[in-house]
Amino acid sequence: MKVLVPVKRVVDHNVKIRVKADGSGVDLANVKMSMNPFDEIAIEEAVRLKEAGTADEVIAVSVGPAQAQDVLRTALAMGADRAILITVDGAVEPLAVAKLLKGVVATEEPGLVILGKQAIDDDCNQTGQMLSALLGWSQATFASEIVLAGGKAKVTREVDGGLQAIEVALPAIVTADLRLNEPRYASLPNIMKAKKKPLDSKTPEDFGVTVAPRLSVLRVEEPAARTAGIKVGSVAELLDKLKTEAGVI
Amino acid sequence: MRFGLSDEQEMIVSTVRSFVENEIYPHEALVEKTGEVPQEVAQEIKQKVIDLGFYASNFPESVGGPGLSHLEFALVERELGRGSMALTHFFGRPQNILMACQGEQIEKYLMPAVRGERMDALAMTEPDAGSDVRGMKCTATRDGGDWVINGSKHFISGADHADFFIVFVATGVDETPKGPKKRITCFLVDRGTPGFEVAKGYNSVSHRGYKNCILYFDNCRLSDAQVLGEVDGGFAVMNEWLYATRITVATMSVGRARRVFDHAVQYAAERKQFGQSIGKFQGVSFQIADMITEIDAADYLTLASAWRLDEGLPANREIASAKVYASEMLARVTDAALQIHGGMGLMDELPIERFWRDARVERIWDGTSEIQRHIISREIFRPLGA
């Protein structure tokens, strides 16, 4: 069985982002970019499936600028077997990505697609669900455990208030939550091997998909800074403030 | 001329850096407080590094190492320099000089060291022989077919965890027109050899937990099989294999300086006095500007000397320049970072005082700044016969 893992190049999670002065977006000049952390978890899971003998091949795919090669090389160094880069300059929305991924699924015919539950840049949390709808495949989102057996995937989902266990028929779409696993470091032999692994380049035209945005960004602004807290002298004063000022009790 | 790193090199850097941040930093406070690396922590770090294929990353593929270039290994060391030496010691990098092993020595010392089964320590310095290596008083004399060693060594880093030692001792004296000159031989000495004792060393202000020990040899009997290289050929193996390792202090100083710099920038951006970030005051911002300029200069100087080694170009002078500049840069950078932190910089609540203390030794070990300047100027004047 092949496992397909889409990965996105995003601003590194350690970077303190800054909104551009004209409010048109986030300043990406000279900013460190990395693989979306949830996608790293997805790659890790796929590689573990391969190591366990459940999967035969792990294919990483990215939709993004030419520099997204870097995150694909990281995926290869973590243990993916080959990679596909669909080059798109500029913003690309979840629906367009899902359509492109549908095209990749049509040619690669994976038994399972594992995605990060969301990307940490736009926090859309849509691509996996949209891909599931386009393909007509089952979806199991926010996975914290995946067990494959008998053509089915038993997935534990992290939902509000607890864990939900579901079973979906393969092929299926699974999106990875934070606690699914702890991604490995790329080993030195795998880093050296990564360059020799195949990395195919494609364009949206190859899949007959137009990626023109359907949404327009009006303005991006920083969240309001938190105001300083206050100290209260007694429990009675606290209760009073919660009642009269905060209005929560 | 290209200054960028390849994809592989970028990945090596990011892997080692994340390893240091995730596997080394969390243990640093404990090591600093107790002066000890708990055995299970040491073992855990070592095992993870072995699993990642980074153990003995300074060794060629022919003996089971990864076969990195000098430049790539310098990048590994640079990132390791960020972390506590007491802990990164277990990101094992055995002495390259073990490549001089021959015959049975290969299976007994070289291969187990590369596999992480046995750890080594290098012993050269003596109380009366620091920079003046030939002044060593530790001697080996012939007795029957054996060698008998007497004397002591001190400042032996990593000796507390070493299973065997690479020891340089005097095995004779040559009369030369410039006066008597000692002949040196290198020996492999197993821990536990009768007549050989590893004793607790001094407490150093730098690199707490990265211990130095004292070695005592009292009629310690060794066979010819323990000679590394040729008898009286100690300087030959030293020059062949220890030449390139002098770059280590430079690379590690650069890595450490970058970590210290990040602390200083963060603090200068957040700390407010007189109604604004202190980084907005020119007195602080210019210090930051000088720090990053010097760090970059040291980084390029160091990587360029590693590159020269890869190209087979003479690098003796360049390595010495990198060592003296990077270690002195680190002194200035840690001092400025401490100044920016003000009083808090001196308190053990923050790691700044530790970085400042640690930096001091870099100008001393592996050839003092003065010895490096001697090497540099000698290389310049020698062709002129001066």
Side-chain angles (χ1 to χ4, degrees):
Chain A
M1 181 183 73
K2 285 184 194 175
V3 180
L4 184 72
V5 184
V7 295
K8 185 177 184 183
R9 178 177 180 265
V10 298
V11 175
D12 188 87
H13 68 281
N14 284 316
V15 172
K16 198 167 175 240
I17 57 160
R18 252 166 36 105
V19 173
K20 283 188 201 165
D22 64 3
S24 63
V26 170
D27 193 354
L28 296 181
N30 289 320
V31 168
K32 185 177 183 231
M33 307 291 281
S34 304
M35 190 192 301
N36 177 38
F38 292 109
D39 301 347
E40 267 188 68
I41 295 171
I43 288 280
E44 175 67 31
E45 196 64 16
V47 172
R48 287 186 191 185
L49 287 173
K50 192 186 166 190
E51 285 169 347
T54 317
D56 310 310
E57 193 181 27
V58 177
I59 307 158
V61 56
S62 190
V63 179
Q67 298 92 314
Q69 266 204 28
D70 295 354
V71 298
L72 287 172
R73 291 278 175 218
T74 303
L76 294 171
M78 285 176 72
D81 297 289
R82 58 191 174 89
I84 303 166
L85 173 63
I86 305 170
T87 311
V88 177
D89 287 316
V92 51
E93 293 171 0
L95 183 59
V97 175
K99 285 179 180 172
L100 290 168
L101 293 177
K102 185 189 174 199
V104 176
V105 167
T107 42
E108 298 290 348
E109 299 179 336
L112 180 67
V113 183
I114 311 179
L115 306 88
K117 69 168 179 176
Q118 67 196 65
I120 61 165
D121 49 2
D122 56 21
D123 277 342
C124 278
N125 183 6
Q126 295 169 356
T127 308
Q129 293 88 331
M130 286 177 169
L131 179 60
S132 154
L134 292 174
L135 290 168
W137 288 9
S138 307
Q139 58 169 299
T141 51
F142 314 127
S144 65
E145 196 186 355
I146 303 172
V147 180
L148 299 184
K152 291 188 167 143
K154 284 185 183 171
V155 177
T156 306
R157 303 182 63 231
E158 298 205 352
V159 294
D160 286 349
L163 298 174
Q164 181 188 47
I166 62 166
E167 196 173 75
V168 292
L170 297 177
I173 307 293
V174 176
T175 73
D177 212 321
L178 187 66
R179 282 157 288 271
L180 179 59
N181 60 48
E182 216 173 287
R184 69 191 65 193
Y185 303 103
S187 74
L188 188 51
N190 277 337
I191 289 174
M192 299 316 237
K193 266 187 255 166
K195 183 125 203 177
K196 293 179 193 116
K197 292 180 178 175
L199 195 159
D200 288 338
S201 284
K202 301 272 185 195
T203 63
E205 292 76 53
D206 294 336
F207 301 96
V209 173
T210 46
V211 296
R214 291 157 179 261
L215 305 172
S216 59
V217 175
L218 300 179
R219 198 171 62 251
V220 175
E221 48 192 60
E222 301 252 6
R226 275 181 64 177
T227 46
I230 51 163
K231 280 186 182 167
V232 291
S234 66
V235 174
E237 193 188 341
L238 173 66
L239 288 173
D240 180 58
K241 284 195 184 294
L242 288 174
K243 269 186 205 151
T244 56
E245 290 179 28
V248 290
I249 51 173
Chain B
M1 196 167 194
R2 286 186 64 244
F3 284 100
L5 300 179
S6 70
D7 287 349
E8 287 86 355
Q9 290 163 345
E10 292 281 8
M11 270 191 267
I12 289 172
V13 169
S14 76
T15 301
V16 179
R17 189 178 302 173
S18 347
F19 189 90
V20 173
E21 287 171 354
N22 298 316
E23 314 291 339
I24 304 290
Y25 288 3
H27 301 297
E28 286 183 344
L30 179 72
V31 171
E32 203 53 29
K33 202 171 151 196
T34 61
E36 299 283 343
V37 178
Q39 195 54 41
E40 61 276 12
V41 171
Q43 199 46 46
E44 189 192 328
I45 292 170
K46 201 166 159 185
Q47 194 54 51
K48 283 183 177 170
V49 176
I50 291 171
D51 292 345
L52 281 177
F54 270 96
Y55 202 88
S57 46
N58 50 332
F59 278 75
E61 284 172 296
S62 58
V63 297
L68 296 183
S69 65
H70 285 286
L71 177 69
E72 286 157 351
F73 182 61
L75 294 170
V76 171
E77 296 252 54
R78 187 184 73 184
E79 298 312 315
L80 289 178
R82 291 170 173 264
S84 145
M85 276 195 83
L87 290 157
T88 57
H89 179 60
F90 299 97
F91 197 105
R93 290 142 289 148
Q95 296 288 342
N96 283 87
I97 201 168
L98 290 171
M99 286 300 289
C101 282
Q102 288 174 341
E104 289 179 0
Q105 292 173 346
I106 294 173
E107 274 309 318
K108 199 172 169 198
Y109 298 102
L110 169 62
M111 300 309 275
V114 171
R115 289 193 294 258
E117 293 158 9
R118 301 188 80 193
M119 293 191 84
D120 60 304
L122 190 78
M124 197 150 0
T125 306
E126 296 180 9
D128 291 324
S131 299
D132 179 14
V133 178
R134 277 195 203 267
M136 64 175 61
K137 289 179 179 157
C138 195
T139 57
T141 49
R142 274 290 188 193
D143 183 57
D146 291 339
W147 293 96
V148 176
I149 306 189
N150 280 292
S152 66
K153 297 277 172 188
H154 78 167
F155 296 166
I156 309 309
S157 303
D160 50 335
H161 292 281
D163 300 294
F164 68 93
F165 298 77
I166 303 155
V167 188
F168 289 85
V169 295
T171 40
V173 183
D174 284 327
E175 291 304 327
T176 73
K178 285 182 176 175
K181 210 173 184 184
K182 282 184 181 155
R183 296 197 298 261
I184 310 288
T185 302
C186 182
F187 288 90
L188 295 161
V189 186
D190 290 298
R191 181 185 285 274
T193 304
F196 169 50
E197 188 199 339
V198 182
K200 189 181 176 301
Y202 322 94
N203 292 319
S204 169
V205 72
S206 296
H207 300 300
R208 209 171 271 170
Y210 183 60
K211 294 187 186 167
N212 65 84
C213 296
I214 303 173
L215 312 185
Y216 293 109
F217 297 90
D218 180 15
N219 286 322
C220 174
R221 189 169 281 273
L222 299 175
S223 74
D224 273 332
Q226 301 308 111
V227 174
L228 183 65
E230 303 297 323
V231 172
D232 297 336
F235 268 99
V237 281
M238 207 186 289
N239 290 336
E240 184 175 1
W241 298 107
L242 296 184
Y243 169 69
T245 63
R246 286 171 33 224
I247 207 168
T248 295
V249 174
T251 53
M252 296 190 89
S253 294
V254 172
R256 178 57 69 89
R258 292 213 184 270
R259 181 176 179 191
V260 175
F261 178 76
D262 291 345
H263 278 274
V265 170
Q266 194 70 26
Y267 192 80
E270 282 168 9
R271 167 83 169 168
K272 289 198 168 57
Q273 290 287 275
F274 307 104
Q276 62 177 23
S277 308
I278 59 169
K280 287 216 168 108
F281 292 107
Q282 205 176 61
V284 172
S285 66
F286 277 22
Q287 286 191 68
I288 294 286
D290 288 344
M291 286 159 86
I292 195 66
T293 305
E294 287 200 44
I295 294 170
D296 281 351
D299 204 353
Y300 286 124
L301 194 57
T302 307
L303 293 179
S305 58
W307 174 83
R308 290 182 71 87
L309 288 171
D310 285 327
E311 296 293 309
L313 296 168
N316 200 28
R317 203 272 289 164
E318 287 78 1
I319 292 172
S321 290
K323 200 272 178 186
V324 71
Y325 186 77
S327 59
E328 295 186 355
M329 170 282 289
L330 182 62
R332 290 188 291 270
V333 165
T334 49
D335 196 71
L338 199 153
Q339 191 68 20
I340 288 169
H341 280 78
M344 272 318 281
L346 286 165
M347 304 300 142
D348 64 2
E349 188 75 13
L350 297 176
I352 309 302
E353 57 87 25
R354 166 160 68 90
F355 299 148
W356 182 61
R357 279 188 285 110
D358 284 354
R360 191 60 188 87
V361 74
E362 312 300 344
R363 288 186 276 160
I364 296 171
W365 64 9
D366 249 14
T368 60
S369 284
E370 292 70 29
I371 288 291
Q372 304 303 332
R373 287 190 167 88
H374 165 72
I375 293 170
I376 296 164
S377 56
R378 188 185 60 190
E379 296 268 325
I380 291 169
F381 284 117
R382 224 179 222 167
L384 305 174

